[in-house]
Amino acid sequence: MSTDTIARDGPTDRSRDLSQPLDRLGPDETLKAGSDQLRGTISAGLEAELTAAVPGDDIKLMKFHGLYQQDDRDLRDERRRQRLEPAYRFMARVRLPGGVLSSSQWLKLDELGRAYASETLRLTTRQTFQLHRVHKKDLRAVIQGLHDVLLDTKAACGDDSRGVMASINPELSALHAEVYALAKQASEHAIPKTGAYREIWYGEERTLTDGPEEPLYGKTYMPRKFKIGFVIPPVNDIDVYAQDLGFIAIIEGRELKGFNIAIGGGMGRTDQAPKTYPRLASVIGFVPKDKVIATCDAVMMVQRDYGDRVDRGRARFKYTIDDKGLDFIKAEIEARLGFPLEPARPYDFTSNGDVIGWQRGEDGREHFTLFVENGRVSNFADIALLDGLRAIAQTHKGNFRVTPNQNLVIADIEPEDRPAIEALLLEYRLASLNKGSGLRLNSMACVAFPTCGLAMAESERYLPKLVEKIDAILAGHGLAQEPITIRMTGCPNGCARPYIAEIGLTGRAPGKYNLYLGGGFHGQRLNKMVLENVGEQAILELLGKVIEHFASERLPNERFGDFAIRVGHAAEVTEGRFFND
Ligand code: SRM
Ligand code: SF4
């Protein structure tokens, strides 16, 4: 198939960007276009018994099915020495809009995690679960197991609309229900419609469709991943400014009126590549709540049509906006909507963290937010977290909510059922997890080693130890309970959204990190790099100085990140595209 055919085979749209040279489209575009709508040779690759891997092209296509081929990086050198192929396994990412799941869904995930994923579940920064280390031969069993409880892994990765996020907000029960329903609808609406998933994983027959299999995506899907999130102020838990398309709920009285629209957020950057950068989303206007799905369509179409399909490194929506101009993109969105956006309405955020512990909703139901360090759910030497949560799910009649900070809410508990949940929290010593310092309870690390193929440094396995050392410094200045956000990633891709943390660390090499300071406490400001490619000693030395200064010179109630900016420990990032600019 010629590249010319590829570009023109998509759905008919009014303004595909014809300025991009068709003969230079990136190889991923050719791959998608020739994949028979994401079928490729995945089925055949699963049957090949001589290798634990799948063929190269199918690795990319399987991402659209929520599956990543990985290898155990702790074993890489040893296996190379032994002339064995790498220890290939797969990561399966569940699609769980808004992070809400029932007890029976929890129990199924627990069962699958124990049977196929090394007895561990991983809560993610986008409110879902990852099952790691699944053998190729077990992938169908995992996906069919998820299907039994109405879960799937569709579009959890790939160039499509990823997991849709929604605020947790336990105390605003009715609003949460309304916004969550919209997030679920948006997810359902925006995932690929191809029958490939049902055929490959559920063994269904291929059926013919009347029109195109992918009315929105065409043959080449999106230029790159596309992330949607819904937030209910005042808690910016989803980090709405990090979304490609963010919906900020506007509430008047107690009624949801609609949403301010924020576009073009993203974290990923590449070291020494200035053309890549994190960007905070720009708020461009307001839409009534019945226009949410139309807005998803309009914004996605603009990115589908204008996103860079030549250079994948510049293909995210944030770059499309900066290349074409915000006014141009807004006008294109309005043209597709068929009406102008109303002016953005006022709103306020206060934090982007979770309220840990018990909260009561307006409907009288109780919610318990459990701190899950870096989202890892396992039976640890001191605390049997996996067992404890299974025991809770066996009796809990409400739901669970995975938070955007990798924590877990045991939600919707009737007041008369609270004592039983409390007894289990006590029996398994889970409540003690909530007793961490202000820094620990606001910490987040990405997975990194040993499963992430892109990791350059440790993250999940290292941050808890580093926090212990920073905690000692904070305690020395009477700041042990001071809430400060700290986020670490094993590479600059930014999976734990480190560039909006008050303290951010991104891996450069084993034991080496860039240190960033000055992010806003409610995710409203990018931080700034203050040390590059340094080890633990340099990190602790600098933090020690800034913390000492903070303890003595902070203004009343001043946040650590704001202080770092005000006194010049981190100069304000002028290219950071603040919403208020
Ligand atoms: Fe991420 C790639 C893990 C949230 C930006 N991310 C990866 C991969 C799949 C590595 C790969 O491509 O081979 C990681 C798998 C590691 C593993 O072993 O599990 C990975 N990302 C994660 C998770 C699990 C981190 C976590 O510890 O929770 C998060 C899963 C979210 C989910 O449930 O869908 C995760 N990733 C994010 C976020 C945060 C967010 O979306 O709110 C970001 C920054 C926001 C953004 O997209 O800009 C993020 N991940 C990336 C990027 C950089 C994208 C870019 O535009 O440059 C990559 C690399 C890529 O896409 O090329 C990446
Ligand atoms: Fe992997 Fe980098 Fe994402 Fe961490 S930030 S999970 S190291 S891609």
Side-chain angles (χ1 to χ4, degrees):
M1 180 181 285
S2 77
T3 48
D4 186 68
T5 323
I6 292 166
R8 296 183 198 288
D9 251 2
T12 37
D13 46 71
R14 43 185 298 286
S15 55
R16 180 175 293 283
D17 186 8
L18 296 176
S19 65
Q20 291 189 40
L22 298 184
D23 57 347
R24 285 189 20 237
L25 289 180
D28 288 67
E29 296 302 307
T30 321
L31 172 65
K32 286 181 275 184
S35 73
D36 190 12
Q37 308 287 175
L38 307 181
R39 289 172 179 86
T41 55
I42 295 175
S43 287
L46 293 175
E47 307 305 331
E49 286 174 6
L50 279 179
T51 168
V54 296
D57 282 353
D58 289 338
I59 297 175
K60 287 187 177 167
L61 293 181
M62 281 172 75
K63 294 184 184 183
F64 291 78
H65 300 240
L67 304 167
Y68 278 84
Q69 180 172 305
Q70 304 181 317
D71 71 285
D72 189 327
R73 298 188 60 187
D74 286 347
L75 302 180
R76 220 180 243 185
D77 290 347
E78 180 55 30
R79 290 187 67 95
R80 198 177 291 133
R81 265 194 294 279
Q82 292 187 22
R83 295 171 190 269
L84 294 168
E85 77 170 10
Y88 291 122
R89 301 281 185 95
F90 289 80
M91 177 265 276
R93 187 181 285 164
V94 178
R95 182 171 67 97
L96 194 68
V100 177
L101 75 162
S102 65
S103 285
S104 51
Q105 289 173 327
W106 182 281
L107 290 173
K108 177 56 80 174
L109 282 160
D110 174 280
E111 178 194 320
L112 296 173
R114 287 173 199 265
Y116 302 114
S118 305
E119 302 187 37
T120 178
L121 298 172
R122 180 58 158 67
L123 311 184
T124 75
T125 55
R126 290 190 73 80
Q127 300 180 277
T128 189
F129 290 78
Q130 286 185 177
L131 296 162
H132 285 102
R133 300 172 190 264
V134 180
H135 284 286
K136 181 172 81 171
K137 67 179 175 45
D138 295 328
L139 282 172
R140 281 205 177 100
V142 166
I143 293 181
Q144 288 172 11
L146 293 171
H147 189 42
D148 290 345
V149 289
L150 306 179
L151 291 174
D152 58 61
T153 60
K154 283 180 197 166
C157 326
D159 296 346
D160 45 28
S161 164
R162 299 292 190 92
V164 176
M165 297 177 80
S167 282
I168 290 304
N169 280 28
E171 73 279 13
L172 301 172
S173 318
L175 269 176
H176 175 266
E178 198 175 356
V179 172
Y180 164 64
L182 284 169
K184 215 169 158 195
Q185 203 187 333
S187 167
E188 223 42 66
H189 179 78
I191 54 171
K193 300 291 179 278
T194 167
Y197 192 89
R198 296 190 301 273
E199 294 156 26
I200 296 169
W201 306 108
Y202 306 154
E204 290 181 13
E205 288 295 316
R206 186 168 186 166
T207 49
L208 287 178
T209 46
D210 284 345
E213 250 192 304
E214 295 284 12
L216 171 66
Y217 289 115
K219 289 188 190 302
T220 48
Y221 294 81
M222 296 297 275
R224 203 66 165 81
K225 57 177 80 167
F226 191 87
K227 298 181 172 181
I228 301 176
F230 291 77
V231 72
I232 309 175
V235 182
N236 185 17
D237 52 356
I238 72 155
D239 277 326
V240 70
Y241 302 119
Q243 311 289 329
D244 291 287
L245 170 58
F247 289 92
I248 303 170
I250 299 298
I251 296 134
E252 287 167 16
R254 300 184 78 79
E255 201 191 329
L256 175 67
K257 290 289 180 191
F259 296 89
N260 280 352
I261 305 304
I263 59 168
M267 292 283 98
R269 62 179 285 278
T270 306
D271 289 316
Q272 268 118 33
K275 67 171 189 175
T276 66
Y277 45 82
R279 181 189 193 280
L280 296 185
S282 317
V283 177
I284 55 166
F286 169 91
V287 290
K289 62 184 173 186
D290 63 343
K291 294 289 184 264
V292 161
I293 298 301
T295 306
C296 289
D297 274 347
V299 178
M300 286 181 70
M301 282 185 216
V302 171
Q303 162 65 353
R304 178 198 68 195
D305 297 343
Y306 288 104
D308 196 325
R309 291 184 185 263
V310 177
D311 178 359
R312 259 182 96 72
R314 290 272 304 173
R316 288 296 292 271
F317 193 29
K318 58 184 176 182
Y319 303 124
T320 316
I321 293 172
D322 287 348
D323 291 347
K324 302 281 176 198
L326 190 59
D327 291 343
F328 173 85
I329 294 293
K330 185 179 170 200
E332 285 293 313
I333 292 169
E334 290 178 331
R336 282 159 175 78
L337 277 172
F339 59 85
L341 296 172
E342 293 175 34
R345 300 194 184 175
Y347 62 96
D348 264 325
F349 288 128
T350 52
S351 85
N352 60 358
D354 296 330
V355 177
I356 300 294
W358 286 101
Q359 278 179 287
R360 175 171 284 222
E362 62 182 7
D363 59 1
R365 287 191 288 185
E366 310 265 1
H367 310 271
F368 182 77
T369 304
L370 181 69
F371 174 66
V372 180
E373 190 153 37
N374 303 327
R376 181 61 66 187
V377 180
S378 293
N379 284 331
F380 301 105
D382 53 344
I383 291 188
L385 181 56
L386 189 65
D387 287 355
L389 288 172
R390 177 174 63 180
I392 288 173
Q394 281 163 346
T395 132
H396 178 42
K397 302 186 197 93
N399 286 311
F400 292 88
R401 296 180 201 169
V402 180
T403 84
N405 291 293
Q406 302 170 320
N407 296 320
L408 185 70
V409 186
I410 304 162
D412 308 313
I413 304 168
E414 295 299 341
E416 63 272 21
D417 296 332
R418 177 170 163 167
I421 301 290
E422 277 178 319
L424 288 168
L425 289 170
L426 212 61
E427 180 184 338
Y428 286 90
R429 301 185 34 245
L430 305 193
S432 66
L433 294 171
N434 285 1
K435 299 222 164 79
S437 66
L439 185 71
R440 190 174 298 273
L441 296 181
N442 287 285
S443 67
M444 214 160 53
C446 74
V447 179
F449 285 105
T451 52
C452 179
L454 305 178
M456 298 163 164
E458 292 286 351
S459 184
E460 179 188 328
R461 298 193 294 198
Y462 172 53
L463 184 62
K465 296 173 209 154
L466 184 68
V467 164
E468 203 171 314
K469 294 178 183 172
I470 303 171
D471 269 350
I473 302 173
L474 286 165
H477 295 286
L479 294 169
Q481 294 315 316
E482 180 69 22
I484 297 172
T485 53
I486 180 168
R487 295 174 176 181
M488 173 178 275
T489 57
C491 84
N493 281 323
C495 296
R497 302 185 288 271
Y499 305 111
I500 35 188
E502 293 179 290
I503 304 173
L505 290 143
T506 62
R508 285 296 289 266
K512 293 283 167 60
Y513 298 84
N514 293 344
L515 173 67
Y516 297 78
L517 291 179
F521 190 71
H522 48 95
Q524 79 282 22
R525 182 178 60 230
L526 291 173
N527 50 25
K528 186 169 178 62
M529 197 198 299
V530 292
L531 288 178
E532 191 171 5
N533 203 13
V534 295
E536 182 176 285
Q537 198 182 341
I539 292 166
L540 291 176
E541 263 171 33
L542 184 73
L543 285 180
K545 282 185 200 147
V546 182
I547 290 168
E548 184 183 1
H549 197 190
F550 177 59
S552 61
E553 306 265 323
R554 75 185 290 194
L555 301 173
N557 299 324
E558 190 174 27
R559 296 286 180 193
F560 185 73
D562 297 339
F563 172 81
I565 298 286
R566 180 174 64 81
V567 304
H569 287 298
E572 195 142 3
V573 197
T574 47
E575 75 276 22
R577 294 161 183 96
F578 303 100
F579 159 51
N580 289 327
D581 277 0

